[in-house]
């Protein structure tokens, strides 16, 4: 079930109907986290386009023909991938295509942190889509299809493109060769070059239901029903997060909780020395871990607000998190919850834009020290 789409039945039906009617846009943006199924939907869309039997099967790929077998292994000559890479001599995705295929063959629910780890990115080094990639894209898409009626280019995390790369693609996306399809996958469309973004038809991929995630965890990872439901409730509709929790990221979560507690206690005391040291410590983390930690803080702030209502069915915290919430939750209330969430979201945005983490974390902590006393 590695390449099966989890949930998203309604959206999948609409996309298949679009293909069956021959109403395929030449550039689609699957807007949503890979953990919601954005990449899985894009790959499935490509398989439907490239299968010669899809038209006779109401727009869906047959799964048995040579074309389907090649797309299933991500080696179809008319299916191309673009994704962020580390700086290299040629600076194009083909340099790392074997690693990418391995990552996809292991499953279509992963995140940018997982991909960076596979590339062995160090420190704050971030994989990127470089300018030379645009030349490779144009060359591939201007060729005639090798064995199918269509050519498909899946571009993952287009927000990681350099401005030069994105600008060089504008004319190609606006006036693509016949039967060419660009499928973009992004959970940060606001970071995509606006002129490139305006040339895409947006398909919003919404978070998965807790039932869909719990069902997957039970059937595929053999998690007990109660534990699967607990994990699904904490995953925020993101199957990637749920899989990581199920595979026991307890050590990482415990580290994040420790840093969260340190931040909140120092902020309450308005201990500037501790706040500054905390900011310096986090600035040494990998960028992906910094972003993941801020996501964790945002989730825990929301959980603590909900904890005040004493409705057990709405609470999705571990015992350690709940032990801290007993005393901390009253400080997250209707007077500051929105501002606290906005502060953390701003921190996440600034980190995503490669801002200075020392300044960003220190500023965030200062704002929290004011808000937490409201």
């Amino acid at each position: 079930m590695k390449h099966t789409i989890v949930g998203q039945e309604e959206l999948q039906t609409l996309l298949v109907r679009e293909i069956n009617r021959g109403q395929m846009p030449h550039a689609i943006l699957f807007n949503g986290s890979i953990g919601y199924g954005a990449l899985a939907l894009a790959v499935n869309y490509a398989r439907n386009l490239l299968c010669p039997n899809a038209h006779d099967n109401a727009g869906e790929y047959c799964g048995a023909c040579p074309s389907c077998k090649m797309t299933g292994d991500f080696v179809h000559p008319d299916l191309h991938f673009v994704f962020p890479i580390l700086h290299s001599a040629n600076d194009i995705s083909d340099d790392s295509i074997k690693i990418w295929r391995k990552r996809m063959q292991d499953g279509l629910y992963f995140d940018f942190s997982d991909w960076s780890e596979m590339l062995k990115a160090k420190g704050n080094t971030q994989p990127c889509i470089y300018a030379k990639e645009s030349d490779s894209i144009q060359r591939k898409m201007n060729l005639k299809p090798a064995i199918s009626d269509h050519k498909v280019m899946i571009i993952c995390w287009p927000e990681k493109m350099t401005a030069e790369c994105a600008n060089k693609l504008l004319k190609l996306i606006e006036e693509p060769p016949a039967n060419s399809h660009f499928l973009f996958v992004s959970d940060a469309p606001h970071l995509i070059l606006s002129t490139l973004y305006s040339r895409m038809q947006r398909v919003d991929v919404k978070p998965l239901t807790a039932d869909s995630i719990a069902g997957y965890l039970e059937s595929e990872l053999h998690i007990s029903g109660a534990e699967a439901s607990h994990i699904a409730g904490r995953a925020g509709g993101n199957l990637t997060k749920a899989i990581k929790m199920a595979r026991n990221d307890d050590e990482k979560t415990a580290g994040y909780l420790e840093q969260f507690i340190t931040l909140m206690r120092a902020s309450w005391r308005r201990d500037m020395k501790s706040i500054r040291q905390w900011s310096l410590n986090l600035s040494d983390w990998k960028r992906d871990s910094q972003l993941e930690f801020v996501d964790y803080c945002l989730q825990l702030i929301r959980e603590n607000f909900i904890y005040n209502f004493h409705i057990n069915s709405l609470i999705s915290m571990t015992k350690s998190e709940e032990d801290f919430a007993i005393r901390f939750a009253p400080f997250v209330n209707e007077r500051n919850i929105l501002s606290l969430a906005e502060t953390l979201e701003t921190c996440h945005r600034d980190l995503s834009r490669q801002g200075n983490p020392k300044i960003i974390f220190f500023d965030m902590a200062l704002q929290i020290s004011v808000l937490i006393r409201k």
Side-chain angles (χ1 to χ4, degrees):
M1 193 172 166
K2 283 182 180 178
H3 303 149
T4 301
I5 298 172
V6 179
Q8 308 296 359
E9 291 85 1
E10 184 178 347
L11 182 52
Q12 174 61 10
T13 298
L14 290 172
L15 292 169
V16 169
R17 187 183 305 156
E18 191 175 74
I19 292 174
N20 196 40
R21 292 175 177 174
Q23 299 173 335
M24 302 86 73
H26 66 270
I28 301 177
L29 170 65
F30 289 86
N31 172 52
S33 170
I34 286 180
Y36 300 165
L39 179 58
L41 284 163
V43 168
N44 204 68
Y45 194 89
R47 297 186 77 175
N48 291 336
L49 282 171
L50 295 173
C51 175
N53 302 318
H55 186 70
D56 298 327
N57 195 33
E60 294 192 72
Y61 67 89
C62 68
C65 67
S67 179
C68 284
K69 290 176 181 177
M70 285 188 284
T71 52
D73 291 330
F74 312 110
V75 294
H76 196 293
D78 296 318
L79 175 60
H80 307 283
F81 293 95
V82 168
F83 42 84
I85 60 169
L86 297 177
H87 186 74
S88 66
N90 295 318
D91 297 332
I92 60 174
S93 300
D94 287 350
D95 297 341
S96 303
I97 191 63
K98 288 183 180 179
I99 304 174
W100 179 256
R101 284 178 181 144
K102 174 67 170 63
R103 175 53 268 183
M104 297 187 73
Q105 286 162 1
D106 287 343
L108 298 176
Y109 291 84
F110 57 96
D111 57 25
F112 191 72
S113 174
D114 297 326
W115 175 236
S116 297
E117 201 168 298
M118 285 196 76
L119 290 177
K120 304 188 186 315
K122 297 179 180 179
N124 287 329
T125 302
Q126 286 254 306
C128 186
I129 300 175
Y130 297 96
K132 286 186 180 179
E133 193 76 64
S134 60
D135 298 328
S136 176
I137 292 171
Q138 294 189 56
R139 178 180 56 80
K140 290 174 181 176
M141 298 306 277
N142 278 310
L143 294 172
K144 290 183 178 180
I147 62 174
S148 301
D149 293 331
H150 301 273
K151 299 189 300 293
V152 183
M153 175 74 68
I154 296 179
I155 302 178
C156 208
W157 298 300
E159 64 271 18
K160 301 295 183 181
M161 281 185 183
T162 64
E164 184 181 358
C165 179
N167 276 309
K168 289 173 73 173
L169 290 177
L170 295 178
K171 185 172 178 58
L172 179 66
I173 303 298
E174 187 170 10
E175 300 175 10
N179 297 323
S180 296
H181 305 272
F182 293 90
L183 308 181
F184 297 87
V185 177
S186 173
D187 58 1
H190 58 287
L191 298 179
I192 300 172
L193 184 73
S194 59
T195 46
L196 181 62
Y197 174 76
S198 67
R199 288 163 168 78
M200 308 172 189
Q201 178 171 310
R202 178 165 161 165
V203 173
D204 289 326
V205 184
K206 297 179 180 178
L208 294 166
T209 64
D211 286 344
S212 294
I213 293 176
Y216 178 91
L217 296 178
E218 287 185 66
S219 63
E220 298 305 309
L221 302 186
H222 310 295
I223 305 296
S224 69
E227 186 180 355
S229 295
H230 178 71
I231 292 171
R234 296 181 61 217
N238 190 314
L239 181 58
T240 302
K241 286 185 179 180
I243 291 171
K244 287 185 176 185
M245 286 188 276
R247 286 177 176 163
N248 240 336
D249 249 348
D250 287 347
E251 188 176 338
K252 181 185 284 187
T253 301
Y256 286 168
L257 176 59
E258 182 182 352
Q259 292 300 327
F260 178 84
I261 293 173
T262 299
L263 168 63
M264 294 305 160
R265 286 176 173 167
S267 296
W268 170 254
R269 297 194 306 267
R270 296 187 175 175
D271 182 345
M272 293 300 113
K273 184 177 179 180
S274 295
I275 285 175
R276 179 162 181 77
Q277 187 58 53
W278 178 88
S279 304
L280 290 172
N281 291 342
L282 260 70
S283 69
D284 290 334
W285 289 14
K286 286 184 178 181
R287 185 76 60 163
D288 295 329
S289 296
Q290 292 170 348
L291 292 168
E292 207 171 76
F293 170 69
V294 177
D295 281 337
Y296 175 82
C297 289
L298 188 55
Q299 175 189 321
L300 212 51
I301 284 291
R302 289 167 174 161
E303 289 289 342
N304 273 269
F305 178 68
I306 294 170
Y307 188 84
N308 292 310
F309 295 93
H310 304 293
I311 305 174
N312 291 336
S313 61
L314 297 178
I315 299 168
S316 300
M317 289 190 280
T318 65
K319 186 179 186 306
S320 297
E321 290 167 347
E322 195 167 348
D323 287 344
F324 180 64
I326 292 171
R327 286 168 292 182
F328 176 68
F331 298 103
V332 183
N333 51 63
E334 66 277 3
R335 295 184 298 277
N336 62 14
I337 177 63
L338 294 178
S339 297
L340 284 168
E342 184 179 352
T343 297
L344 288 163
E345 287 167 354
T346 299
C347 174
H348 192 285
R349 182 201 65 202
D350 292 343
L351 287 170
S352 298
R353 292 176 176 175
Q354 305 300 306
N356 186 322
K358 293 179 184 178
I359 297 172
I360 293 169
F361 280 121
F362 188 65
D363 184 60
M364 180 189 79
L366 290 179
Q367 292 183 57
I368 289 175
S369 70
V370 173
L371 294 170
I372 208 70
R373 286 176 172 265
K374 286 190 175 182

